[in-house]
Amino acid sequence: MQVSFHTSIPSIYNSSTTPSHLPWNTYNYCNAPHINAGHYVLPNASTATLVFVAMVMRHHKRTPDNLYPSEHTLNPSSGWNCSDIPTYAYAAGTAHIFTETSVPPDHPFGGSVWAGTCRAGQVTSGGLQDAVKHGQDFWGVYHNRLAFVERVCEEEIFVRTSGELRTQVVAGAMLYGMDPNTAKTSWRVHTQPANIDSLVPAYACPAAGELRSAAESTPAWKEHLVQYEPLQRRLDNTLGTGRLVDWHSWYDHFFDSFTARTCHLHPLPCNATGGCVTQEDAADVFTIGDWEYNYLFNSAPQAREYVRLTYGVFFAELAHTFRRVLASGSDMGSEIAHTQHKIHMYVGHDGSMVRLASGLGLGGVNGLRWPAMGSEIVIEVWHTSEDLPFVRVLYEGSPVHPPLDWMPLDQFVRLLEGLVPEDLKDACMQPEKWVEKNDIHNRGTA
C-alpha cells in the first residue's frame, strides 16, 4: 500500500497567510480558510431569513504539544517566546495575576523543555492575531453583511470551549475581533468537567478503545507503518524518540512538533551532532498525518462507530440545540429562535473537528485532512417564506455538497440523533458485548 493522500494538492504549512496566487480556500494548516465577507455565498433561496448559527472551530496556532526527550538541544537558543502575550488567571476581586514561564538554568530536568517563556501547547502571539482576524471576518458576515446579530453580548452569543486554556484564549480573541470593547468586560464561557468533556472528547469509553485497536490491527494500518520504517528510524536517530512508544504508534506527535515549528518559521529540529529533520521528511510526515486522520476517523471499517462512540455526547448536545430551534419556530413564523441565543460558538481541538466532519459525512467524497489551526464548521438555520426551516453547512468558509447545502431542519436533527448510539454509556462501558455484537475484528481490511 502506498500512502499518497492529497500529495498533489497545494498546501500551506509555513505561514498564516495563503499566497495570492493560490485560491483563497487552499488548505492552510497554519490558519484554515474560514467565513469572510469577500467570499461568503448566500443560499439560493433568496427570500429566506437567517435565524440561527452554530460555529464549531479548532483553536488557532500554538507551540508544540509534544516534546522530545532533549527538547532544549533541538531548538534555536532563543527558544519560544510568549512574554508578549501574558495570560491572566485570577478570581474576581483579587489581584490580577498573570503567568510567565521560565526554566531555571540549573534545573536537573531543564533539558526536556525548550528555552524561552512558552508552555507546551500555548497559543502564540501569531495564533492570537489569527484568532482576532477570524473574529473580525465572522462579524463581517453575520453583522456587517447580513445584519443578523446586532451586538456582541452574552444575550446574543453563547460560547462553549474545552477546559484547555488555549481554547478559552482563542474564544476571547474571537470576541475581541468581533468587538474590541469586549476587552473591558467579563464574559461567561461554558465548559464541562475535564473527565467528561464531550467537546474534546474526554469521557471514558473502553468500547471505542477496542474499535481504535481494531483499526490499528488492519493490514492497511500495519502496512503504512512498515512502508515508512526508514523514515521512523531517521527521525528517532535525530530526535531521540526511539524508546517512546507514543511516537511509534502513529505520526501524530511528529506532525504536531513539525507543523508548530514551520507555522512559526522556526527551523526544523537539528541535534547536537548535526543531524537534522529535512523538508522532505517533514513533507512525508504531513502526508502520513493526513492519511492516518482520514483512516481512523473516516475510512477505516471501524471509523463510523468509533466516531459515534467517542463523539456521541456532543452530537446529542448539538441535536438538542437544533431541536430547540425547531420547536421554537413551530408556531412563531419568522420569529424562530429569537427567544434564545442567535449564535453558538464552540472552540475545541483537532479531534473535535475531525469527528464532527466525519459524522456529518464531509469526508465522503474527497476524504478528510488533518483539521488545520482555526478549522471551522458553520451550521446555519434559514427560514423560508413558506415557514419552513432549512439547514446549510459551510466547511472552511464554503458551502458543502448536497444534501447539507440545504436540508430541512427536522431532517438535520434526525441526522444528528442518528449519530448518538443507543444507551451510549452502557455501549462504552461494556466493550466485550459491543465488540461481539458488531464483530469488529472480522470486518474488511480497506
Side-chain angles (χ1 to χ4, degrees), residues 35-49:
I35 287 281
N36 65 90
H39 297 96
Y40 182 81
V41 179
L42 288 167
N44 291 329
S46 58
T47 59
T49 301

Side-chain angles (χ1 to χ4, degrees), residues 393-405:
V393 178
L394 299 97
Y395 187 32
E396 317 295 36
S398 300
V400 303
H401 56 76
L404 287 173
D405 59 338

Side-chain angles (χ1 to χ4, degrees), residues 16 30 60-62 123-132 170 173 264:
S16 288
C30 306
H60 279 276
K61 66 184 182 183
R62 52 162 174 74
V123 173
T124 59
S125 58
L128 202 66
Q129 292 165 11
D130 291 343
V132 170
V170 166
H264 291 89

Side-chain angles (χ1 to χ4, degrees), residues 384-417:
T384 69
S385 57
E386 294 80 19
D387 287 341
L388 297 173
F390 282 82
V391 160
R392 186 174 73 140
V393 178
L394 299 97
Y395 187 32
E396 317 295 36
S398 300
V400 303
H401 56 76
L404 287 173
D405 59 338
W406 199 246
M407 174 182 283
L409 176 55
D410 60 344
Q411 185 178 335
F412 182 72
V413 170
R414 290 196 300 272
L415 184 157
L416 291 174
E417 292 174 341

Side-chain angles (χ1 to χ4, degrees), residues 35 40 50 53 137-150 343 378-380 382 392 394:
I35 287 281
Y40 182 81
L50 182 64
V53 174
D137 289 341
F138 187 86
W139 194 246
V141 171
Y142 293 109
H143 172 74
N144 298 344
R145 180 168 177 183
L146 300 182
F148 168 60
V149 61
E150 182 178 349
I343 294 175
V378 174
I379 307 168
E380 300 174 338
W382 292 79
R392 186 174 73 140
L394 299 97

